[in-house]
Amino acid sequence: MAEGVINLGQVAFVDKGVYSSSVTYKRFNFIVTDDSCYLSLKDGNIGHAITDSTWWKCLAKGSQATEAAKKALEATNKALEAVQKAEAAIVQATQQAANANSAASSANTAADTASSLISETETELSNLRELLSEVRTATKTAQDAYDLVSQIDGVNVFARIPATLVVQETINAVVGSSPILTKQIFPKTANQSVIFQIASGNGTINPDGVVSSPTEAGNLVINVISTISSFLWKQVTVKFRALQARTTENGTARTTENGEEIEC
């Protein structure tokens, strides 16, 4: 060794990258692992585990920081999830508020409509009260007129008011005939006017009560209604049957139903 020169050897840290058990490390060489940093304490350091404190010195241990970072990441993720849930809750609350506003608007509209209907009903009731007053006045006038007429000798105020309608409720006829529907309204001094209304079946009837026969057998139902009082009415059934030949006692045809001779 030259005079005045002192060999201090390696005095600075040298980065050797990631640890490998097949590499020989010198003193002050340092390596890194996934989360820590270790310094070689001696030359010829090969194959020794980094946990061997005779050969390695831990400069920085990152496992605790890594664990803390993991926990921080988990907390961050949970916070983000909470934020997302909060945002979803805000959206839902906004929609519910919109729905509530819509329902409130509909309720207000319905209330306005109901109020309008109530007002219209009150108006109609007022009109009805006025009409009832007019009806009472008209009834009183009619009653006074009746009382006045009834005091005249020889006048029967009920003489022209129909009370009873009498008809033959069932009429038997043959196809092709034209039966006449007769009626009588009592008292006889009452208005005898009626109308004939076909209720069911084939056939017609004129205002004089003459029925036109259908072409086939069947029932023709006719309503007879007083023109003075529609509450006074009766129903007549005209039963039309097909023509049948008259026969002798032994069943031999003799004449037609209308009396024409039949050659046997």
Side-chain angles (χ1 to χ4, degrees):
M1 176 178 299
E3 185 176 350
V5 177
I6 300 175
N7 187 359
L8 299 177
Q10 183 172 305
V11 295
F13 292 168
V14 178
D15 183 1
K16 289 298 183 177
V18 179
Y19 170 77
S20 173
S21 60
S22 61
V23 175
T24 300
Y25 297 99
K26 295 180 180 181
R27 184 170 177 262
F28 291 159
N29 289 168
F30 72 89
I31 55 90
V32 294
T33 61
D34 290 338
D35 57 6
S36 301
C37 179
Y38 292 88
L39 179 69
S40 176
L41 299 177
K42 301 177 182 179
D43 293 333
N45 186 354
I46 181 173
H48 298 105
I50 59 176
T51 56
D52 189 344
S53 61
T54 303
W55 291 91
W56 295 99
K57 175 67 176 179
C58 179
L59 298 179
K61 191 170 184 179
S63 59
Q64 294 177 347
T66 301
E67 184 65 25
K70 289 181 180 179
K71 291 181 178 180
L73 180 60
E74 291 177 358
T76 301
N77 290 335
K78 290 181 179 179
L80 290 175
E81 183 178 355
V83 169
Q84 291 175 349
K85 290 181 178 179
E87 290 176 346
I90 292 172
V91 172
Q92 184 177 4
T94 302
Q95 183 62 45
Q96 290 176 346
N99 293 340
N101 289 335
S102 177
S105 177
S106 299
N108 289 333
T109 301
D112 291 341
T113 301
S115 178
S116 176
L117 289 174
I118 290 172
S119 177
E120 292 177 4
T121 302
E122 289 175 347
T123 301
E124 293 300 325
L125 286 174
S126 177
N127 294 337
L128 181 58
R129 293 187 188 98
E130 293 180 2
L131 290 174
L132 286 174
S133 177
E134 294 178 4
V135 169
R136 292 190 187 98
T137 301
T139 303
K140 181 66 168 59
T141 301
Q143 182 66 44
D144 291 344
Y146 168 79
D147 292 341
L148 181 61
V149 173
S150 64
Q151 293 174 10
I152 301 175
D153 292 338
V155 175
N156 183 355
V157 293
F158 295 105
R160 293 189 57 80
I161 300 177
T164 306
L165 173 62
V166 178
V167 295
Q168 184 178 349
E169 296 185 358
T170 302
I171 299 175
N172 295 309
V174 295
V175 174
S177 64
S178 298
I180 299 176
L181 195 158
T182 60
K183 48 73 182 173
Q184 179 68 59
I185 291 179
F186 293 94
K188 291 183 178 181
T189 54
N191 190 320
Q192 299 291 312
S193 177
V194 296
I195 59 173
F196 301 104
Q197 181 186 66
I198 302 296
S200 64
N202 297 320
T204 60
I205 184 170
N206 67 18
D208 296 325
V210 179
V211 180
S212 296
S213 168
T215 58
E216 297 180 352
N219 292 341
L220 177 63
V221 180
I222 303 170
N223 292 330
V224 184
I225 308 170
S226 168
T227 59
I228 302 301
S229 174
S230 60
F231 293 102
L232 188 62
W233 67 282
K234 289 291 180 68
Q235 193 169 80
V236 178
T237 301
V238 183
K239 298 182 178 181
F240 287 97
R241 55 185 174 81
L243 288 170
Q244 297 177 349
R246 298 183 183 277
T247 60
T248 61
E249 293 181 356
N250 59 7
T252 304
R254 183 174 59 192
T255 62
T256 62
E257 188 169 18
N258 58 12
E260 296 180 2
E261 294 183 355
I262 296 177
E263 296 183 0
C264 300

